[in-house]
Structures are given as structure tokens and as C-alpha cells.
Amino acid sequence: MTLIDTIGGSRRWADGSMARSHSSKPSTQGGGGGGGDPPQRRTAAGGADDAGNVAAAQERVAMMATVGRPGAPSSLTAPIKGPAAKMPLREPNNRHILNSIRPKSPAKGKNTIVLPGTDVAGDLAQISAGHATWNPTSNRYKVNGRTYAVEDTGTVIPVSGPGFVDLSRPAYKVLKQLIGSNGDIDAARRALARDPAIGDAEWRSALDVFQHHKSYRGEA
């Protein structure tokens, strides 16, 4: 049978019969023969097919994999222990910092000197971020090979490690005299010549440290 024309959206065949009219609007119902767009896949809110939730889940997995590794997000680091959890830490007193020692700096039984170039500020930042080892028995932190005690005020005391040097009370006295003499070693020797507590060993210890001081003249 031959289709000869269309009228108002209906088709008329050669024998005069009319084909059933079809709407030009595509069906929105799902099904096999409607001719419309395929039905969209629906997922429950928050389901695994939600792209945002998938991305969030992947991010959580990636974050969990970094726990305990250097550079992990601060929210995943171990809790801060010791005094640093309660107060901000302060750098050591000037009597410990070589280029800040003055002739009137108090000498004690043990005097730990911080040599120039030692990153004390960096150590304190790591302690405050929870990256140091806290020993509750000795009440001390250890970070980057250096050990620190903490006073009640939050001021840290250098104890031992790279960049720290211990001086006895007499050797510290020699160091202060060298600093007060502006690096004039002969003048410092004359000033301490009558001190019975100061011998060759104290001079050697003090001069080993003084060589790192800003006023050292290269005479030792």
C-alpha cells in the first residue's frame, strides 16, 4: 500500500484509510518503544553514585593514608603533650644564646650555650605542633636530636644536642670576660689572672665557644 500524503499529522494511504495520529511530543515515560530520551538514573541522596560523595570518600581515604607520615595535616597529628599543650613556649634566656650573653649574665653550675645557626625557633615550632617526643619522667622534649626542659613560665632551657655546648661556672666566667673585653684575649687574661678557680682547661673550653662569637678576632 502506498503512502500518498499526510494531513494534520495523520497519514493517508492510497486506499483512503487513515493511519493513527501520533503526537510529535516525545514520551517522557520509560519503556521500550516510546521513542523519547532514555530515563535518567536516579540514586538515593548521599548514595555511592553521588559524584560529590564519591570524591569526599576518596579524599577521606587519602587523608587517612597520611596519618603518622611527615607533613600529615595538623588535624591528624598526635595530641600535643607536656607544657606545650597548655601554654606558648618561649625561646631560651639570653644567658644561653652566645651572641646575646653579657658580662653581667648570671653564671650557674651548668651553663648550656646555644651556638649561632642552631634553629631553636624551628624546634619550638615543631614541639608546639606535636612533632617532638615528650618524656614525662624527665619532663623534657626531644626534637631534631636536641633536648629541652621547660620552666613554669614556658621558657625553654637547652639541655643537650647538636649546637649546644656545656660550660662550667668558671669557664662561663671566662667566656663573659672575653665578650666584655670585645674579643681582646690578652685583656681578658689579665682581668682573670688572679682567679684561682680558672685554669688552662677553663680557658680552652671558653675559647672553643668564643670562636663562634661575633666579636672573635681569630687570635685564639
Side-chain angles (χ1 to χ4, degrees):
M1 187 178 296
T2 304
L3 178 64
I4 58 176
D5 63 4
T6 60
I7 300 175
S10 298
R11 294 177 293 182
R12 182 166 60 85
W13 302 93
D15 63 355
S17 62
M18 300 292 291
R20 194 158 141 186
S21 173
H22 293 274
S23 172
S24 61
K25 183 179 180 180
S27 172
T28 60
Q29 299 296 325
D37 294 333
Q40 296 182 352
R41 185 177 183 183
R42 296 184 179 181
T43 60
D49 288 332
D50 187 313
N53 285 330
V54 171
Q58 291 174 340
E59 182 178 356
R60 286 195 298 272
V61 171
M63 290 177 66
M64 291 304 296
T66 66
V67 175
R69 297 180 184 175
S74 58
S75 61
L76 299 177
T77 59
I80 301 171
K81 298 180 180 179
K86 305 174 184 178
M87 67 181 79
L89 300 183
R90 301 166 59 187
E91 294 198 14
N93 186 282
N94 284 343
R95 65 176 296 273
H96 295 285
I97 310 301
L98 180 58
N99 284 324
S100 297
I101 293 174
R102 298 292 180 263
K104 293 186 178 180
S105 295
K108 299 186 178 181
K110 178 185 177 183
N111 306 273
T112 304
I113 312 303
V114 179
L115 299 180
T118 306
D119 190 9
V120 172
D123 290 348
L124 300 193
Q126 291 196 40
I127 292 172
S128 299
H131 299 313
T133 300
W134 167 249
N135 187 327
T137 302
S138 62
N139 292 320
R140 293 176 177 178
Y141 288 104
K142 186 169 185 178
V143 60
N144 296 324
R146 289 181 281 272
T147 302
Y148 297 89
V150 183
E151 296 180 335
D152 293 339
T153 59
T155 300
V156 301
I157 304 171
V159 176
S160 63
F164 296 166
V165 179
D166 290 337
L167 293 180
S168 65
R169 189 188 300 270
Y172 190 77
K173 187 175 182 179
V174 173
L175 177 64
K176 292 194 299 175
Q177 186 62 55
L178 288 165
I179 293 171
S181 299
N182 196 31
D184 188 334
I185 296 175
D186 290 338
R189 285 189 181 277
R190 289 193 298 270
L192 298 174
R194 296 181 179 275
D195 192 327
I198 298 175
D200 290 341
E202 287 71 32
W203 273 98
R204 283 195 299 271
S205 296
L207 286 169
D208 284 345
V209 173
F210 184 66
Q211 291 179 43
H212 300 278
H213 193 270
K214 59 187 177 182
S215 65
Y216 177 64
R217 302 178 183 180
E219 300 173 6

